[in-house]
Amino acid sequence: MLVSINAVLNNAYKKEKDSNVKERILLVKRVKIDKQEAASVAEHELNRSRWWWAYKWLHRFDKDGLNGLKDQPRSGRPPDVPKDVMVKIRQELADSS
């Protein structure tokens, strides 16, 4: 049985806890299902002033589906705290609660 993209997006929207991802799902729904202009949806419904924001997320959806709408891990500067010290700190915090 084929499930429509509308049903998939509605279901994903209802289950999603992250407000940023919900916003992106709404964008995809408005553009793909409701056939609205991406820049207009971003500006008027989602209060985004940069039109490229909408096209970036639509491209990620086309490429990776719903997983493309989630934030991807980013590389960054490694922490200054050694791993063993971090483990001890986390353990102490867990024990204190």
Side-chain angles (χ1 to χ4, degrees):
M1 175 168 108
L2 284 175
V3 180
S4 73
I5 189 170
N6 191 27
V8 169
L9 291 173
N10 284 337
N11 189 36
Y13 185 84
K14 288 177 188 175
K15 290 182 177 182
E16 185 58 52
K17 303 254 188 267
D18 185 336
S19 61
N20 290 325
V21 177
K22 285 184 90 153
E23 183 180 52
R24 296 165 195 160
I25 293 171
L26 183 61
L27 168 73
V28 170
K29 185 173 172 14
R30 293 286 185 261
V31 172
K32 301 284 186 181
I33 305 300
D34 300 341
K35 304 294 185 203
Q36 294 182 16
E37 171 63 36
S40 177
V41 171
E43 182 180 353
H44 298 292
E45 272 191 68
L46 304 175
N47 298 317
R48 297 287 183 153
S49 61
R50 304 203 192 302
W51 58 268
W52 51 261
W53 173 88
Y55 293 101
K56 174 181 91 170
W57 290 110
L58 288 169
H59 175 72
R60 285 193 185 182
F61 177 78
D62 289 341
K63 184 177 166 211
D64 300 322
L66 285 172
N67 286 333
L69 299 179
K70 297 180 180 180
D71 290 323
Q72 303 300 316
R74 299 177 188 174
S75 63
R77 189 170 120 184
D80 292 335
V81 179
K83 190 172 183 174
D84 59 327
V85 173
M86 186 66 74
V87 170
K88 287 180 185 178
I89 293 170
R90 287 186 180 154
Q91 186 61 46
E92 287 180 24
L93 288 173
D95 291 344
S96 68
S97 52

